[in-house]
Amino acid sequence: MNFNDNNKNLDDNEMFLISLNRHIPLKHLSLIHDLDRKLDECVSTKYDDISSMVQLTYNVKYDSIVIKSILNLLQSGHVSSSFFSLEDVHRIINIYSKNHYFLTFASLHTIKPFTLTCLFCQKPLKILFKERVNVFLNDRVEGGVTYTARCCYVQYYSNSYVKGSKRYVTPQSLYNQKYIHFGGKSVLTMDVVLQYNADLVNMYAGFKNFCEYYNDKISSFLLQRFGKNDPEIRNQVLLGRRLFENVWLVYSTCMLKWILWKATETEIPLNISDREQRNSFFIDLLKCLQRDFSLFWSNHQHKYECGDQCCKAIVLDGFQKSDRFVCQFHREMIRSEELGDIEWGCGVRPEMIRDQENPGYWKNTDYCPKHVHLENVSSTPDSIDQCEYDIIDCNVSRTDRYSSRRTSYGIIVTMYNCGIIINFDELHRCEAPTRVLHHLFMTIENYSPHMQSLPKYLVYDNACGLLLTFRNRLENGRIRATTRTDALSKMTFLVDKFHIGNHRRAICQSQTNPYKYADVNNINTVVCEQKFAKLKKYQNALSSFSFPKTFALLIPILTIPIIITLTHNKLHSSTALTTTTITAETTSTIVTTMQTRDVTTQLISKTTTTKNPCASSSLRWKTAGSTVRSDSSSTLSCTHLFIDSDDTLYGVDKERAYVWRLPTGHTNSITVAGIPGSKGNDSFKLNYPEDVYVDRHGNMYVVDSNNHRVQKFINGTSSGITIAGTTDSGGCSLNQMYYPRGFAFDPSETFMYVADRSCQRVLRYRTDSNSSTSEFVINRDTTAGNSAKQLNGPWSIHISSSKSDELFIVNHDGQSITRWAVGDVEGSFVAGLPGTSCTNSSCFHDPTDVKLDIYMNMYVVDGNNHRVQMFCKNSRIGITIAGNGTAGTSTTHLSYPQGIAFDSNMNMYVCDTGNRRVLKFDKF
């Protein structure tokens, strides 16, 4: 063998390794390299630790300076990790971290603050060691190290930050995190949380069952490796039920809040183990959660395909299988505008007290801590909520005749006939008609305003008794007339088909008989019974809790059948509602997609397609548009469009200075801001408006360009409030704007970003602030340019739905689209040729608007090329989907288009500005 010939075939990496190996064995280099990759850079003792671990493994001592030099050589030599064999680095670090002989911060789990940049001043954080912790993984418990940081009087932790004496979490601090930690010595990995979610759905596991199973599983794994008397067995760290329960409930409650309601931060207990703090958190938050739950799911018809019989009836029923022991103090009142004070009862679990007759023992009481002083006091008779009807004919009683029972009456659930739950309440005493009516009034109160009206039918097993109580008390004044009573009186009360056979009253043979109504034949009136067949399996999980924890667990449990129903209906396109099961894999998908607000859309999309349709050329629109908005006088000057959650179309008429609204299915628009044809700078007028946005509360925001301001119109008002800029005073200071063009809102609607065109910047404002001064700037240099650090005629903005801090900015004068993360000093070009206009598929000529879909495909209005371009994810080559590159007046042509919007079915609406119209292009 000719060594010299072989030597000539060696590449630089191999020669580098051979040279280094003359002094240090390759297996030592391998271990040093792998330990360096495994240990985090923030470990201050890192190189000393690597030296010690190599010594423990090979009995060879390398100085830490030598270790650092070796690693620098390896990095400078660009050596691929494929040159190194795999060592059991995991075991080496684990053993070393438990060795008390070494003073080390080395760990398999380095848990740093969720952000490395201060949220308030945007400066880098200096992280510091905090403490050692136990990290719970699916199959073992390992040691870990937590770090913290402090800036602007704020303390940052792995999943939260503390400001003053309050702890906060944000979507950023919980989304896509490997660990969940709210303080203390125990840290959960997301794998453990996901496993419990799967067990909750599939095996209906309670917290106690899960923690016992988990600890037994870890014990079993340890016994396979060690003897019974080994310290690893004797010192096994256990997963505490209370800790796991508190962490999971706080985590899931915050997640659900962000699904149902847009928010950037949520205050949680400073110490989640403190019962008073924890209960206060749940009580305050759950009031809003129940309202948002109803608001969100009652509007599902406008968001998700649910079959032909969707939302035809409201069905409600009591579910007693979730009953639990409750305090026997019944005179806890709630206030109803219609019914007055109602004795709802106390829902807190009875307290255990020390048994004075048997020292060392505890005994149960009938009262909670608040009312335990009544334990030995003679109770006064409870009031009886009498029925307004004779129960003989129908044998249905809903009075307080069970008021002496020590357990609750479970829950009352209201859902659509298609199986979507829209409200629920826990019944502490009974299912009396007044309690059911109060529940219905609150359901109506929180019903989505996007639904034009309540369904025609109300189905309940005691509909006859409920109707008689409602009518009689409304007539004799015991129920106060309100808009909610008016809405309820318009509904037709029906007994469900399962129970109607037991009803003999005359009203049940005619008015409340479901078989007397032909359009009820295809309506599922027993949907509650079907859903309860699954919910009853959670009986053990629910019965061991006290208020408000029970309520906190009920919301995720009741969300599970909703998602199952929507997924089932989407997959099978069937109106038949059956009880389905869900796999652990799908459960993990649910939890993962909970990390974006629109959980169900994400889930249904995932079950129907996993590929970007743009990649397969299946994302297409009709080439000819249909006119949905124009003026007979051909004066429409449309610049931007907006479509809300119920597909109502909004647009701005720049030249005539007003904003219009076009509801779905309508042909005539309505003026909602400004006075058509009358420009001005007072609160009722606009001057060349450019863009419009409507938030979930119905508040409307308008970019009033020539007045250099943004106006906010509170829901339904015609008088605007200036929330950004200074009227008639254009400029580039932080309290001014200079001819702003477009704007965008983050998913939580907390921040508004404005494209300040003439100042070549993007300004950020808080939507809840009364100050017109911006708090953040993208491109502080007001000089136009085509570098990555500059903007050039910023015209329109889109915010990524998956990353709320990532902006896509149209450089109208720079002929490009820039992606810019909030806090960065420069962006990156994602489309166009900066500074160059042309007509080919990779460039623009005065682009004016940009939108992205859930697959991150990008849509750009290419104004002076008279077209709309689609860019598949990560592609720089555009595909023309509207217009053909030349101006024209036919429905296949565009003329200087400006704005674009998509409805819930991805039909595309375009401001065909040069032709004075708005065109709709239907999606295939």
Side-chain angles (χ1 to χ4, degrees), residues 159 174 179-184 186-190 193 196 207 239-255 268 272-273 278 281-282 549:
N159 299 105
L174 293 184
Y179 307 99
I180 299 297
H181 182 227
F182 297 134
S186 298
V187 176
L188 302 177
T189 59
M190 272 305 302
V193 175
Y196 176 71
F207 294 109
L239 178 61
R241 191 261 293 180
R242 295 283 186 192
L243 168 81
F244 181 75
E245 171 188 303
N246 293 335
V247 171
W248 191 90
L249 286 173
V250 170
Y251 171 78
S252 63
T253 301
C254 293
M255 284 294 194
I268 65 172
I272 65 171
S273 297
R278 189 177 60 244
F281 160 73
F282 286 129
K549 276 189 175 181

mmCIF file of all heavy atoms in Angstrom, residues 159 174 179-184 186-190 193 196 207 239-255 268 272-273 278 281-282 549:
data_model
loop_
_atom_site.group_PDB
_atom_site.id
_atom_site.type_symbol
_atom_site.label_atom_id
_atom_site.label_comp_id
_atom_site.label_asym_id
_atom_site.label_seq_id
_atom_site.Cartn_x
_atom_site.Cartn_y
_atom_site.Cartn_z
ATOM 1 N N ASN A 159 -41.016 30.471 32.592
ATOM 2 C CA ASN A 159 -42.338 30.580 31.952
ATOM 3 C C ASN A 159 -43.127 31.790 32.406
ATOM 4 O O ASN A 159 -44.324 31.886 32.129
ATOM 5 C CB ASN A 159 -43.167 29.326 32.240
ATOM 6 C CG ASN A 159 -42.538 28.064 31.711
ATOM 7 O OD1 ASN A 159 -41.991 27.272 32.465
ATOM 8 N ND2 ASN A 159 -42.584 27.868 30.409
ATOM 9 N N LEU A 174 -45.256 30.515 27.249
ATOM 10 C CA LEU A 174 -45.819 29.166 27.356
ATOM 11 C C LEU A 174 -45.836 28.407 26.032
ATOM 12 O O LEU A 174 -45.765 27.182 26.023
ATOM 13 C CB LEU A 174 -47.246 29.226 27.923
ATOM 14 C CG LEU A 174 -47.386 29.697 29.371
ATOM 15 C CD1 LEU A 174 -48.843 29.605 29.812
ATOM 16 C CD2 LEU A 174 -46.513 28.895 30.318
ATOM 17 N N TYR A 179 -40.260 23.104 28.904
ATOM 18 C CA TYR A 179 -40.508 22.934 30.326
ATOM 19 C C TYR A 179 -41.653 23.842 30.780
ATOM 20 O O TYR A 179 -41.884 24.913 30.209
ATOM 21 C CB TYR A 179 -39.265 23.281 31.149
ATOM 22 C CG TYR A 179 -38.008 22.552 30.729
ATOM 23 C CD1 TYR A 179 -37.061 23.161 29.906
ATOM 24 C CD2 TYR A 179 -37.753 21.256 31.169
ATOM 25 C CE1 TYR A 179 -35.905 22.498 29.517
ATOM 26 C CE2 TYR A 179 -36.599 20.583 30.788
ATOM 27 C CZ TYR A 179 -35.684 21.217 29.958
ATOM 28 O OH TYR A 179 -34.542 20.554 29.578
ATOM 29 N N ILE A 180 -42.343 23.412 31.840
ATOM 30 C CA ILE A 180 -43.357 24.236 32.481
ATOM 31 C C ILE A 180 -42.979 24.341 33.951
ATOM 32 O O ILE A 180 -42.888 23.345 34.665
ATOM 33 C CB ILE A 180 -44.768 23.616 32.357
ATOM 34 C CG1 ILE A 180 -45.157 23.495 30.890
ATOM 35 C CG2 ILE A 180 -45.797 24.466 33.103
ATOM 36 C CD1 ILE A 180 -45.278 24.818 30.155
ATOM 37 N N HIS A 181 -42.773 25.574 34.429
ATOM 38 C CA HIS A 181 -42.294 25.798 35.790
ATOM 39 C C HIS A 181 -42.817 27.132 36.289
ATOM 40 O O HIS A 181 -42.524 28.175 35.704
ATOM 41 C CB HIS A 181 -40.757 25.782 35.802
ATOM 42 C CG HIS A 181 -40.169 25.960 37.162
ATOM 43 N ND1 HIS A 181 -39.145 26.837 37.423
ATOM 44 C CD2 HIS A 181 -40.470 25.365 38.348
ATOM 45 C CE1 HIS A 181 -38.823 26.772 38.699
ATOM 46 N NE2 HIS A 181 -39.607 25.892 39.281
ATOM 47 N N PHE A 182 -43.599 27.096 37.354
ATOM 48 C CA PHE A 182 -44.132 28.318 37.948
ATOM 49 C C PHE A 182 -43.574 28.550 39.349
ATOM 50 O O PHE A 182 -44.217 29.177 40.186
ATOM 51 C CB PHE A 182 -45.663 28.258 38.007
ATOM 52 C CG PHE A 182 -46.321 28.190 36.664
ATOM 53 C CD1 PHE A 182 -47.337 27.271 36.420
ATOM 54 C CD2 PHE A 182 -45.934 29.021 35.632
ATOM 55 C CE1 PHE A 182 -47.950 27.193 35.179
ATOM 56 C CE2 PHE A 182 -46.535 28.953 34.393
ATOM 57 C CZ PHE A 182 -47.549 28.042 34.162
ATOM 58 N N GLY A 183 -42.381 28.034 39.624
ATOM 59 C CA GLY A 183 -41.763 28.196 40.922
ATOM 60 C C GLY A 183 -41.689 26.867 41.661
ATOM 61 O O GLY A 183 -42.407 25.922 41.363
ATOM 62 N N GLY A 184 -40.773 26.814 42.648
ATOM 63 C CA GLY A 184 -40.612 25.589 43.410
ATOM 64 C C GLY A 184 -39.493 24.729 42.863
ATOM 65 O O GLY A 184 -38.768 25.101 41.929
ATOM 66 N N SER A 186 -39.782 21.653 41.524
ATOM 67 C CA SER A 186 -40.211 20.653 40.540
ATOM 68 C C SER A 186 -40.532 21.321 39.216
ATOM 69 O O SER A 186 -41.236 22.332 39.164
ATOM 70 C CB SER A 186 -41.442 19.894 41.037
ATOM 71 O OG SER A 186 -41.143 19.189 42.227
ATOM 72 N N VAL A 187 -40.004 20.737 38.135
ATOM 73 C CA VAL A 187 -40.224 21.244 36.782
ATOM 74 C C VAL A 187 -40.835 20.126 35.951
ATOM 75 O O VAL A 187 -40.342 18.988 35.968
ATOM 76 C CB VAL A 187 -38.901 21.714 36.145
ATOM 77 C CG1 VAL A 187 -39.124 22.160 34.700
ATOM 78 C CG2 VAL A 187 -38.277 22.836 36.957
ATOM 79 N N LEU A 188 -41.899 20.430 35.235
ATOM 80 C CA LEU A 188 -42.536 19.448 34.357
ATOM 81 C C LEU A 188 -42.053 19.656 32.927
ATOM 82 O O LEU A 188 -41.931 20.791 32.460
ATOM 83 C CB LEU A 188 -44.059 19.598 34.387
ATOM 84 C CG LEU A 188 -44.763 19.464 35.739
ATOM 85 C CD1 LEU A 188 -46.254 19.713 35.568
ATOM 86 C CD2 LEU A 188 -44.525 18.101 36.341
ATOM 87 N N THR A 189 -41.779 18.567 32.236
ATOM 88 C CA THR A 189 -41.553 18.675 30.800
ATOM 89 C C THR A 189 -42.903 18.631 30.097
ATOM 90 O O THR A 189 -43.872 18.076 30.614
ATOM 91 C CB THR A 189 -40.670 17.531 30.284
ATOM 92 O OG1 THR A 189 -41.305 16.283 30.581
ATOM 93 C CG2 THR A 189 -39.295 17.579 30.915
ATOM 94 N N MET A 190 -42.952 19.202 28.901
ATOM 95 C CA MET A 190 -44.212 19.199 28.158
ATOM 96 C C MET A 190 -44.645 17.784 27.817
ATOM 97 O O MET A 190 -45.839 17.512 27.657
ATOM 98 C CB MET A 190 -44.070 20.022 26.880
ATOM 99 C CG MET A 190 -44.364 21.502 27.063
ATOM 100 S SD MET A 190 -45.982 21.858 27.796
ATOM 101 C CE MET A 190 -47.069 21.073 26.624
ATOM 102 N N VAL A 193 -46.955 16.712 30.499
ATOM 103 C CA VAL A 193 -48.238 17.401 30.369
ATOM 104 C C VAL A 193 -49.059 16.792 29.236
ATOM 105 O O VAL A 193 -50.262 16.538 29.376
ATOM 106 C CB VAL A 193 -48.021 18.911 30.131
ATOM 107 C CG1 VAL A 193 -49.343 19.612 29.880
ATOM 108 C CG2 VAL A 193 -47.305 19.531 31.322
ATOM 109 N N TYR A 196 -50.527 13.460 30.229
ATOM 110 C CA TYR A 196 -51.739 13.568 31.049
ATOM 111 C C TYR A 196 -52.939 13.971 30.193
ATOM 112 O O TYR A 196 -54.050 13.469 30.384
ATOM 113 C CB TYR A 196 -51.569 14.584 32.181
ATOM 114 C CG TYR A 196 -52.861 14.760 32.944
ATOM 115 C CD1 TYR A 196 -53.338 13.745 33.767
ATOM 116 C CD2 TYR A 196 -53.642 15.904 32.797
ATOM 117 C CE1 TYR A 196 -54.542 13.871 34.441
ATOM 118 C CE2 TYR A 196 -54.840 16.043 33.467
ATOM 119 C CZ TYR A 196 -55.288 15.023 34.285
ATOM 120 O OH TYR A 196 -56.486 15.146 34.938
ATOM 121 N N PHE A 207 -56.126 13.550 38.497
ATOM 122 C CA PHE A 207 -54.751 13.890 38.838
ATOM 123 C C PHE A 207 -54.141 12.858 39.788
ATOM 124 O O PHE A 207 -52.975 12.491 39.650
ATOM 125 C CB PHE A 207 -54.696 15.285 39.458
ATOM 126 C CG PHE A 207 -55.070 16.383 38.496
ATOM 127 C CD1 PHE A 207 -56.257 17.074 38.630
ATOM 128 C CD2 PHE A 207 -54.236 16.716 37.441
ATOM 129 C CE1 PHE A 207 -56.599 18.078 37.751
ATOM 130 C CE2 PHE A 207 -54.566 17.714 36.548
ATOM 131 C CZ PHE A 207 -55.761 18.398 36.704
ATOM 132 N N LEU A 239 -43.675 12.606 42.044
ATOM 133 C CA LEU A 239 -44.491 13.665 41.452
ATOM 134 C C LEU A 239 -45.690 13.897 42.354
ATOM 135 O O LEU A 239 -46.561 13.035 42.482
ATOM 136 C CB LEU A 239 -44.948 13.263 40.045
ATOM 137 C CG LEU A 239 -45.867 14.263 39.312
ATOM 138 C CD1 LEU A 239 -45.171 15.605 39.115
ATOM 139 C CD2 LEU A 239 -46.312 13.688 37.959
ATOM 140 N N GLY A 240 -45.750 15.048 42.990
ATOM 141 C CA GLY A 240 -46.833 15.345 43.925
ATOM 142 C C GLY A 240 -48.119 15.693 43.203
ATOM 143 O O GLY A 240 -48.120 16.470 42.248
ATOM 144 N N ARG A 241 -49.212 15.119 43.673
ATOM 145 C CA ARG A 241 -50.505 15.355 43.027
ATOM 146 C C ARG A 241 -50.905 16.831 43.107
ATOM 147 O O ARG A 241 -51.376 17.407 42.124
ATOM 148 C CB ARG A 241 -51.576 14.481 43.677
ATOM 149 C CG ARG A 241 -52.894 14.457 42.914
ATOM 150 C CD ARG A 241 -53.946 15.386 43.469
ATOM 151 N NE ARG A 241 -54.402 14.954 44.778
ATOM 152 C CZ ARG A 241 -55.333 15.601 45.473
ATOM 153 N NH1 ARG A 241 -55.883 16.709 44.991
ATOM 154 N NH2 ARG A 241 -55.694 15.187 46.666
ATOM 155 N N ARG A 242 -50.747 17.460 44.264
ATOM 156 C CA ARG A 242 -51.140 18.858 44.421
ATOM 157 C C ARG A 242 -50.358 19.764 43.476
ATOM 158 O O ARG A 242 -50.919 20.633 42.818
ATOM 159 C CB ARG A 242 -50.906 19.312 45.859
ATOM 160 C CG ARG A 242 -51.754 18.613 46.889
ATOM 161 C CD ARG A 242 -53.175 19.130 46.894
ATOM 162 N NE ARG A 242 -53.960 18.562 47.976
ATOM 163 C CZ ARG A 242 -55.272 18.659 48.070
ATOM 164 N NH1 ARG A 242 -55.941 19.305 47.126
ATOM 165 N NH2 ARG A 242 -55.915 18.112 49.080
ATOM 166 N N LEU A 243 -49.049 19.527 43.425
ATOM 167 C CA LEU A 243 -48.210 20.348 42.545
ATOM 168 C C LEU A 243 -48.618 20.182 41.094
ATOM 169 O O LEU A 243 -48.831 21.159 40.377
ATOM 170 C CB LEU A 243 -46.744 19.960 42.722
ATOM 171 C CG LEU A 243 -45.812 20.553 41.652
ATOM 172 C CD1 LEU A 243 -45.464 21.976 41.999
ATOM 173 C CD2 LEU A 243 -44.565 19.724 41.457
ATOM 174 N N PHE A 244 -48.733 18.937 40.642
ATOM 175 C CA PHE A 244 -49.068 18.690 39.241
ATOM 176 C C PHE A 244 -50.441 19.267 38.910
ATOM 177 O O PHE A 244 -50.633 19.891 37.860
ATOM 178 C CB PHE A 244 -49.051 17.191 38.959
ATOM 179 C CG PHE A 244 -49.360 16.851 37.530
ATOM 180 C CD1 PHE A 244 -48.424 17.053 36.539
ATOM 181 C CD2 PHE A 244 -50.604 16.353 37.174
ATOM 182 C CE1 PHE A 244 -48.709 16.759 35.217
ATOM 183 C CE2 PHE A 244 -50.905 16.053 35.864
ATOM 184 C CZ PHE A 244 -49.951 16.258 34.881
ATOM 185 N N GLU A 245 -51.383 19.073 39.792
ATOM 186 C CA GLU A 245 -52.739 19.581 39.596
ATOM 187 C C GLU A 245 -52.731 21.095 39.444
ATOM 188 O O GLU A 245 -53.371 21.651 38.535
ATOM 189 C CB GLU A 245 -53.571 19.147 40.797
ATOM 190 C CG GLU A 245 -54.942 19.735 40.925
ATOM 191 C CD GLU A 245 -55.557 19.346 42.267
ATOM 192 O OE1 GLU A 245 -55.671 18.143 42.561
ATOM 193 O OE2 GLU A 245 -55.920 20.260 43.030
ATOM 194 N N ASN A 246 -52.022 21.790 40.330
ATOM 195 C CA ASN A 246 -51.997 23.255 40.287
ATOM 196 C C ASN A 246 -51.328 23.774 39.022
ATOM 197 O O ASN A 246 -51.820 24.708 38.371
ATOM 198 C CB ASN A 246 -51.284 23.806 41.516
ATOM 199 C CG ASN A 246 -52.048 23.546 42.804
ATOM 200 O OD1 ASN A 246 -53.265 23.390 42.792
ATOM 201 N ND2 ASN A 246 -51.335 23.493 43.920
ATOM 202 N N VAL A 247 -50.195 23.169 38.655
ATOM 203 C CA VAL A 247 -49.486 23.602 37.452
ATOM 204 C C VAL A 247 -50.350 23.373 36.218
ATOM 205 O O VAL A 247 -50.490 24.254 35.357
ATOM 206 C CB VAL A 247 -48.137 22.859 37.314
ATOM 207 C CG1 VAL A 247 -47.507 23.146 35.950
ATOM 208 C CG2 VAL A 247 -47.184 23.277 38.419
ATOM 209 N N TRP A 248 -50.957 22.190 36.113
ATOM 210 C CA TRP A 248 -51.756 21.863 34.927
ATOM 211 C C TRP A 248 -52.966 22.786 34.816
ATOM 212 O O TRP A 248 -53.302 23.259 33.720
ATOM 213 C CB TRP A 248 -52.208 20.410 34.982
ATOM 214 C CG TRP A 248 -52.806 19.933 33.687
ATOM 215 C CD1 TRP A 248 -52.153 19.349 32.644
ATOM 216 C CD2 TRP A 248 -54.185 20.034 33.287
ATOM 217 N NE1 TRP A 248 -53.029 19.068 31.623
ATOM 218 C CE2 TRP A 248 -54.292 19.475 31.991
ATOM 219 C CE3 TRP A 248 -55.331 20.527 33.897
ATOM 220 C CZ2 TRP A 248 -55.500 19.401 31.298
ATOM 221 C CZ3 TRP A 248 -56.533 20.466 33.203
ATOM 222 C CH2 TRP A 248 -56.617 19.910 31.930
ATOM 223 N N LEU A 249 -53.647 23.043 35.920
ATOM 224 C CA LEU A 249 -54.849 23.879 35.871
ATOM 225 C C LEU A 249 -54.509 25.319 35.508
ATOM 226 O O LEU A 249 -55.220 25.950 34.708
ATOM 227 C CB LEU A 249 -55.582 23.829 37.207
ATOM 228 C CG LEU A 249 -56.340 22.533 37.507
ATOM 229 C CD1 LEU A 249 -56.873 22.538 38.929
ATOM 230 C CD2 LEU A 249 -57.480 22.317 36.520
ATOM 231 N N VAL A 250 -53.435 25.854 36.062
ATOM 232 C CA VAL A 250 -53.040 27.222 35.719
ATOM 233 C C VAL A 250 -52.616 27.296 34.255
ATOM 234 O O VAL A 250 -53.020 28.198 33.512
ATOM 235 C CB VAL A 250 -51.902 27.704 36.639
ATOM 236 C CG1 VAL A 250 -51.322 29.023 36.136
ATOM 237 C CG2 VAL A 250 -52.400 27.866 38.070
ATOM 238 N N TYR A 251 -51.828 26.322 33.838
ATOM 239 C CA TYR A 251 -51.360 26.288 32.447
ATOM 240 C C TYR A 251 -52.527 26.174 31.463
ATOM 241 O O TYR A 251 -52.634 26.959 30.512
ATOM 242 C CB TYR A 251 -50.399 25.115 32.270
ATOM 243 C CG TYR A 251 -50.004 24.832 30.836
ATOM 244 C CD1 TYR A 251 -49.058 25.599 30.191
ATOM 245 C CD2 TYR A 251 -50.586 23.783 30.131
ATOM 246 C CE1 TYR A 251 -48.694 25.346 28.871
ATOM 247 C CE2 TYR A 251 -50.234 23.519 28.822
ATOM 248 C CZ TYR A 251 -49.288 24.298 28.204
ATOM 249 O OH TYR A 251 -48.943 24.042 26.900
ATOM 250 N N SER A 252 -53.418 25.210 31.683
ATOM 251 C CA SER A 252 -54.521 24.991 30.740
ATOM 252 C C SER A 252 -55.508 26.152 30.759
ATOM 253 O O SER A 252 -56.072 26.512 29.723
ATOM 254 C CB SER A 252 -55.241 23.673 31.057
ATOM 255 O OG SER A 252 -55.829 23.719 32.341
ATOM 256 N N THR A 253 -55.716 26.769 31.930
ATOM 257 C CA THR A 253 -56.623 27.917 32.001
ATOM 258 C C THR A 253 -56.084 29.078 31.183
ATOM 259 O O THR A 253 -56.838 29.744 30.460
ATOM 260 C CB THR A 253 -56.820 28.342 33.471
ATOM 261 O OG1 THR A 253 -57.364 27.256 34.217
ATOM 262 C CG2 THR A 253 -57.773 29.520 33.564
ATOM 263 N N CYS A 254 -54.787 29.329 31.274
ATOM 264 C CA CYS A 254 -54.184 30.409 30.483
ATOM 265 C C CYS A 254 -54.272 30.103 28.993
ATOM 266 O O CYS A 254 -54.588 30.984 28.183
ATOM 267 C CB CYS A 254 -52.733 30.615 30.896
ATOM 268 S SG CYS A 254 -52.521 31.262 32.571
ATOM 269 N N MET A 255 -54.003 28.854 28.630
ATOM 270 C CA MET A 255 -54.090 28.464 27.225
ATOM 271 C C MET A 255 -55.496 28.683 26.677
ATOM 272 O O MET A 255 -55.685 29.223 25.574
ATOM 273 C CB MET A 255 -53.687 26.997 27.064
ATOM 274 C CG MET A 255 -52.196 26.762 27.149
ATOM 275 S SD MET A 255 -51.349 27.536 25.757
ATOM 276 C CE MET A 255 -49.758 26.756 25.868
ATOM 277 N N ILE A 268 -51.053 35.422 36.964
ATOM 278 C CA ILE A 268 -51.283 34.150 37.640
ATOM 279 C C ILE A 268 -50.832 34.290 39.091
ATOM 280 O O ILE A 268 -50.193 35.288 39.454
ATOM 281 C CB ILE A 268 -50.533 32.986 36.950
ATOM 282 C CG1 ILE A 268 -49.017 33.173 37.058
ATOM 283 C CG2 ILE A 268 -50.951 32.871 35.491
ATOM 284 C CD1 ILE A 268 -48.215 31.980 36.570
ATOM 285 N N ILE A 272 -48.367 29.456 43.324
ATOM 286 C CA ILE A 272 -49.527 28.651 42.948
ATOM 287 C C ILE A 272 -49.903 27.641 44.017
ATOM 288 O O ILE A 272 -50.976 27.044 43.948
ATOM 289 C CB ILE A 272 -49.307 27.922 41.603
ATOM 290 C CG1 ILE A 272 -48.178 26.899 41.702
ATOM 291 C CG2 ILE A 272 -49.062 28.907 40.479
ATOM 292 C CD1 ILE A 272 -48.079 26.017 40.486
ATOM 293 N N SER A 273 -49.044 27.439 44.996
ATOM 294 C CA SER A 273 -49.379 26.527 46.084
ATOM 295 C C SER A 273 -50.197 27.210 47.172
ATOM 296 O O SER A 273 -50.729 26.537 48.062
ATOM 297 C CB SER A 273 -48.092 25.949 46.700
ATOM 298 O OG SER A 273 -47.389 25.180 45.758
ATOM 299 N N ARG A 278 -54.435 31.163 44.650
ATOM 300 C CA ARG A 278 -54.870 30.322 43.536
ATOM 301 C C ARG A 278 -56.380 30.446 43.305
ATOM 302 O O ARG A 278 -56.840 30.596 42.167
ATOM 303 C CB ARG A 278 -54.485 28.877 43.831
ATOM 304 C CG ARG A 278 -54.673 27.929 42.660
ATOM 305 C CD ARG A 278 -54.199 26.551 43.031
ATOM 306 N NE ARG A 278 -54.928 25.996 44.166
ATOM 307 C CZ ARG A 278 -54.390 25.706 45.346
ATOM 308 N NH1 ARG A 278 -53.106 25.930 45.561
ATOM 309 N NH2 ARG A 278 -55.132 25.187 46.317
ATOM 310 N N PHE A 281 -57.252 33.724 41.712
ATOM 311 C CA PHE A 281 -56.925 33.700 40.280
ATOM 312 C C PHE A 281 -58.019 33.010 39.480
ATOM 313 O O PHE A 281 -58.499 33.538 38.472
ATOM 314 C CB PHE A 281 -55.588 32.981 40.090
ATOM 315 C CG PHE A 281 -55.358 32.454 38.693
ATOM 316 C CD1 PHE A 281 -55.067 33.309 37.648
ATOM 317 C CD2 PHE A 281 -55.430 31.088 38.438
ATOM 318 C CE1 PHE A 281 -54.848 32.823 36.365
ATOM 319 C CE2 PHE A 281 -55.209 30.595 37.167
ATOM 320 C CZ PHE A 281 -54.923 31.469 36.123
ATOM 321 N N PHE A 282 -58.444 31.829 39.917
ATOM 322 C CA PHE A 282 -59.468 31.089 39.181
ATOM 323 C C PHE A 282 -60.801 31.830 39.175
ATOM 324 O O PHE A 282 -61.465 31.925 38.141
ATOM 325 C CB PHE A 282 -59.643 29.696 39.774
ATOM 326 C CG PHE A 282 -58.535 28.742 39.452
ATOM 327 C CD1 PHE A 282 -57.906 28.013 40.447
ATOM 328 C CD2 PHE A 282 -58.095 28.576 38.156
ATOM 329 C CE1 PHE A 282 -56.876 27.131 40.150
ATOM 330 C CE2 PHE A 282 -57.064 27.712 37.843
ATOM 331 C CZ PHE A 282 -56.453 26.993 38.858
ATOM 332 N N LYS A 549 -61.725 25.109 41.549
ATOM 333 C CA LYS A 549 -60.949 24.194 40.718
ATOM 334 C C LYS A 549 -61.841 23.348 39.815
ATOM 335 O O LYS A 549 -61.470 23.020 38.690
ATOM 336 C CB LYS A 549 -60.093 23.285 41.601
ATOM 337 C CG LYS A 549 -58.765 23.882 42.041
ATOM 338 C CD LYS A 549 -57.907 22.834 42.706
ATOM 339 C CE LYS A 549 -56.538 23.379 43.052
ATOM 340 N NZ LYS A 549 -55.683 22.351 43.685
#
